[in-house]
Amino acid sequence: MRTMDGMLGVIGGSGFYSFFDTDARTVAVDTPYGAPSAPITLGTVGEREVAFLPRHGAAHEYSAHTVPYRANMWALRSVGVRRILAPCAVGSLTPKWGPGTVVVPDQLVDRTRGRADTYFESGGVHVEFADPYCPTLRSAVTDQDGVVDGATMVVIQGPRFSTRAESRWFADAGFGLINMTGYPEAVLARELEICYAAVALVTDLDAGIEVGSGVRTVDVFAEFAKNIGPLKALVRNALDAVSDERTCTHCLAHDGVELPFELP
């Protein structure tokens, strides 16, 4: 097994509930924020040690607005993860990206509400978040064949899908993707100084883009299931492309800042 700076992590989205074929073990991790969505599975991809966590639970027990995001990110860092790829299902807000397209967003817009989205509940700690994703991890994915580089992903509260008016509003604002789980996951990673990049699989055209049809859960899951094999292969190739040494400084948000607690 290759020596590297911190374990790599993968957070699986809707329909992405397992990652390793054999020789994996599970670890139950407790956190100050409760239990994560599921026990963490530790295994290997090639010669890389990787930790896997299904975002929604092993059997999709958690909807987007009930995912224990703080526990998930804390648990992954606790087992040694310092870099995370986060596959997720998204709707497309532009006809040019149809179902099956893989996009690596470079920006997000938060339209959620009421979600616990910080570890800093006291003191004067403010995290830099102008560019929410790790450029080094993004490059490892966008270098793969057929991947679209760059989009703004708007994250909505869920669990309902958007109205046509909302969908057109988001598209008119210049957003390219719509999702329910990308926030607060990304900012919690930044607060824990974990490199993080979303890997977005388009499962549908959003309601305001294709007149006459709306988004249905059954269709989203069917599209994700159809593409899960290629998506897992893409993630494995991207993990293998990540350097052994963590060279990114972009995601080290607390240089020179005294934190109110020690990072796990």
Side-chain angles (χ1 to χ4, degrees):
M1 188 177 299
R2 280 150 53 182
T3 301
M4 61 193 128
D5 186 2
M7 189 185 302
L8 302 180
V10 174
I11 300 176
S14 298
F16 197 148
Y17 308 123
S18 63
F19 192 51
F20 306 109
D21 296 325
T22 58
D23 298 327
R25 60 188 179 92
T26 59
V27 178
V29 182
D30 193 20
T31 82
Y33 307 96
S37 298
I40 294 173
T41 307
L42 303 178
T44 58
V45 174
E47 297 181 353
R48 313 303 295 266
E49 187 177 15
V50 177
F52 174 76
L53 178 64
R55 179 183 293 114
H56 296 280
H60 208 110
E61 301 97 309
Y62 297 96
S63 187
H65 66 297
T66 64
V67 169
Y69 294 102
R70 290 195 296 182
N72 285 353
M73 304 309 288
W74 191 278
L76 285 167
R77 181 168 171 111
S78 295
V79 300
V81 170
R82 297 296 182 270
R83 292 175 286 182
I84 292 175
L85 294 180
C88 58
V90 300
S92 173
L93 291 165
T94 172
K96 67 181 179 181
W97 297 334
T101 305
V102 175
V103 185
V104 180
D106 57 354
Q107 280 294 320
L108 69 78
V109 172
D110 170 32
R111 293 288 300 170
T112 67
R113 60 188 182 277
R115 299 185 182 186
D117 62 355
T118 183
Y119 296 106
F120 301 120
E121 296 177 330
S122 64
V125 180
H126 305 278
V127 67
E128 186 278 323
F129 202 54
D131 296 296
Y133 302 110
C134 172
T136 304
L137 286 185
R138 289 190 70 261
S139 294
V141 186
T142 58
D143 285 347
Q144 308 302 312
D145 291 340
V147 175
V148 177
D149 182 358
T152 295
M153 182 168 73
V154 57
V155 185
I156 62 174
Q157 175 69 3
R160 71 169 179 86
F161 295 116
S162 298
T163 66
R164 295 191 194 282
E166 289 168 334
S167 181
R168 288 192 293 267
W169 178 36
F170 295 144
D172 289 345
F175 309 152
L177 305 171
I178 187 166
N179 165 265
M180 296 180 188
T181 59
Y183 189 90
E185 203 169 84
V187 72
L188 294 173
R190 184 63 54 84
E191 287 192 348
L192 293 179
E193 294 194 327
I194 297 173
C195 290
Y196 175 97
V199 183
L201 173 67
V202 174
T203 57
D204 59 272
L205 293 176
D206 212 53
I209 305 304
E210 191 174 35
V211 175
S213 66
V215 183
R216 302 191 310 158
T217 300
V218 64
D219 297 329
V220 169
F221 278 91
E223 187 63 33
F224 205 98
K226 185 171 71 175
N227 290 280
I228 189 63
L231 180 63
K232 286 184 179 181
L234 185 150
V235 171
R236 290 189 179 102
N237 290 339
L239 290 171
D240 199 52
V242 174
S243 64
D244 291 346
E245 182 182 359
R246 184 187 184 192
T247 58
C248 173
T249 58
H250 175 80
C251 301
L252 301 179
H254 306 311
D255 186 29
V257 176
E258 183 176 347
L259 302 182
F261 55 81
E262 288 190 13
L263 298 180

